[in-house]
Amino acid sequence: MSRYLSSRFASLEEYVPGEQPQDLHYIKLNTNESPYPPAPGVVKAVTQNEIDRLRLYSDPDCRALREALAAQYGVSSANIICGNGSDEMLSFLFIAFCDAQTGVSYPDISYGFYSVFADINRIAAQEVPLRGDLSICADDYCGLDRTIVIANPNAPTGLCLSAADIERIVQSNPNNVVVIDEAYVDFGGESVAPLTKKYDNLLVVQTFSKSRSLAGGRLGYAIGSEGLIADLNKIRNSTNPYNVDSLTKAVGLASLEEQDYYDNNCKKIVATREYAAQELQKLGFEMPESKTNFLFARHPKLAGKQLYLDLKARGILVRHFDMPRILDYNRITIGTPEQMETLLKTLREMI
Ligand SMILES: *Cc1c(COP(=O)(O)O)cnc(C)c1O
């Protein structure tokens, strides 16, 4: 820190992303990326014409992509905003919908960025503890009268709330925005995107990073009532109107045309997850039921941090969180069947 940094940020705790080693030497099961490449047709989107067009600013309204997404969800393009990853959507909505009067609530164990966005915007956050089994209890969020942010399915637990539970939360907080972060919904969750047509206080955030194999492209979006989307656009236009670059737009649009390929990848990942969960249980691991592309596992005889280090020494990266309630756990991204076999073989040797 230099002496020039504003004192406002002296105590800010930054978000720490999972390790991204650049040597590709690890089996990388630590940041929930897809083990499969983007659809074969996507490469055709990166044409000479698109490269030539890089001299121009990208479309600030992101029209083509928003229209394609709107068609997919059966909403109007005025109900969609695109961003530089869903992280940017989250950043915008903390700015737009929280302040000194309107605080924010999210689960005490969830996506680590929520507390950073609350912190940097100086928003009073009230963390709602997960239940003993690491589940979110919908009743805890009813009538809170604060902005609510819930990842569903939740990370890093992998557990999922039903659409009916979410609807109850939305109904009971009519004067507040309820944000549902559906980064992992394609792996077995139930999307509440259709409910955005019924409730003007519901905002659904989604990403191309996980099920659509585009983490490096940085593309996310939010779906909500025209009013909420206009509010987010106000923040976007006041910070970074060209927030999605034109190559990413082209690639994102092309991937929407290959839905079958991504649906099939999700099926493969779910099948690999169920197999890996079963094999890990045979080794004595315990884990909540995952509806995501990761497992959150602990072993009664192995300390979480040490297991992470031992796996890393053997060339396998998983994610360990140094947080009191979940110290025993590691989050293991579902890789290819071959990668999971290597993980299981390594664990069998270790145990
Ligand atoms: C991965 C993840 C995101 C971030 O996604 P990007 O679109 O890559 O910024 C958001 N929320 C949750 C819960 C995630 O796990």
Side-chain angles (χ1 to χ4, degrees):
M1 207 182 340
S2 83
R3 64 195 165 96
Y4 304 105
L5 179 69
S6 162
S7 60
R8 283 182 296 156
F9 304 120
S11 65
L12 176 65
E13 281 192 45
E14 297 155 70
Y15 179 71
V16 185
E19 297 159 86
Q20 296 291 353
Q22 296 302 307
D23 53 15
L24 293 183
H25 143 88
Y26 288 100
I27 292 184
K28 199 171 170 308
L29 307 176
N30 69 328
T31 50
N32 298 343
E33 291 134 331
S34 175
Y36 302 113
V42 168
V43 70
K44 296 194 200 92
V46 188
T47 58
Q48 184 63 47
N49 187 37
E50 282 297 333
I51 302 291
D52 291 347
R53 279 165 48 93
L54 281 175
R55 72 188 175 79
L56 301 171
Y57 283 105
S58 64
D59 172 17
D61 295 326
C62 216
R63 262 165 296 201
L65 189 55
R66 281 175 44 237
E67 274 161 23
L69 285 166
Q72 185 171 317
Y73 287 99
V75 296
S76 140
S77 56
N79 300 115
I80 309 255
I81 175 173
C82 294
N84 196 298
S86 56
D87 285 342
E88 189 183 50
M89 286 298 102
L90 294 168
S91 169
F92 288 170
L93 69 89
F94 270 80
I95 296 172
F97 305 123
C98 307
D99 56 28
Q101 284 76 45
T102 308
V104 64
S105 273
Y106 43 77
D108 64 338
I109 296 167
S110 191
Y111 185 38
F113 231 138
Y114 302 152
S115 59
V116 178
F117 288 133
D119 200 2
I120 197 168
N121 292 302
R122 319 194 122 203
I123 298 153
Q126 187 187 72
E127 298 190 350
V128 181
L130 296 184
R131 294 299 172 101
D133 60 357
L134 299 183
S135 68
I136 291 173
C137 177
D139 293 333
D140 295 346
Y141 295 84
C142 287
L144 271 192
D145 204 23
R146 308 163 71 88
T147 300
I148 292 169
V149 183
I150 294 176
N152 193 48
N154 195 17
T157 63
L159 288 167
C160 181
L161 283 173
S162 68
D165 275 337
I166 303 277
E167 184 163 14
R168 221 149 40 83
I169 296 170
V170 174
Q171 275 175 341
S172 69
N173 291 281
N175 299 320
N176 292 90
V177 178
V178 176
V179 178
I180 304 300
D181 179 348
E182 295 189 344
Y184 299 104
V185 77
D186 296 337
F187 302 104
E190 197 181 352
S191 177
V192 291
L195 291 182
T196 59
K197 290 187 244 184
K198 197 165 156 194
Y199 299 99
D200 69 358
N201 61 327
L202 171 62
L203 191 69
V204 173
V205 176
Q206 289 229 6
T207 179
F208 282 68
S209 294
K210 313 276 162 62
S211 57
R212 290 177 184 128
S213 304
L214 220 56
R218 312 305 305 127
L219 186 58
Y221 55 101
I223 313 164
S225 61
E226 272 189 42
L228 291 185
I229 299 302
D231 298 341
L232 291 171
N233 273 316
K234 192 174 182 117
I235 307 300
R236 185 178 67 84
N237 287 324
S238 309
T239 48
N240 189 12
Y242 307 107
N243 59 336
V244 181
D245 72 77
S246 41
L247 282 182
T248 292
K249 281 192 183 102
V251 165
L253 195 56
S255 43
L256 289 180
E257 284 159 21
E258 310 237 10
Q259 195 57 45
D260 290 351
Y261 169 83
Y262 294 105
D263 289 346
N264 191 45
N265 280 355
C266 287
K267 274 200 204 120
K268 286 197 281 187
I269 290 166
V270 168
T272 310
R273 177 187 76 206
E274 295 308 302
Y275 169 75
Q278 213 181 331
E279 292 301 308
L280 286 169
Q281 277 157 0
K282 285 185 198 162
L283 289 172
F285 283 92
E286 301 161 350
M287 67 210 83
E289 188 192 356
S290 171
K291 294 286 182 193
T292 62
N293 65 341
F294 57 81
L295 292 166
F296 197 49
R298 71 172 168 189
H299 194 284
K301 297 208 182 75
L302 301 171
K305 180 78 177 271
Q306 195 56 46
L307 179 61
Y308 154 76
L309 291 170
D310 290 346
L311 282 173
K312 186 171 177 182
R314 289 164 172 81
I316 301 174
L317 272 187
V318 297
R319 186 96 192 256
H320 180 261
F321 298 91
D322 258 319
M323 291 170 67
R325 283 183 76 187
I326 53 173
L327 274 177
D328 293 343
Y329 289 84
N330 277 289
R331 194 191 66 190
I332 306 167
T333 304
I334 304 304
T336 61
E338 297 73 32
Q339 288 176 320
M340 300 315 277
E341 281 303 346
T342 306
L343 169 77
L344 291 164
K345 183 165 168 280
T346 307
L347 287 169
R348 279 180 207 121
E349 286 162 8
M350 285 165 61
I351 288 169

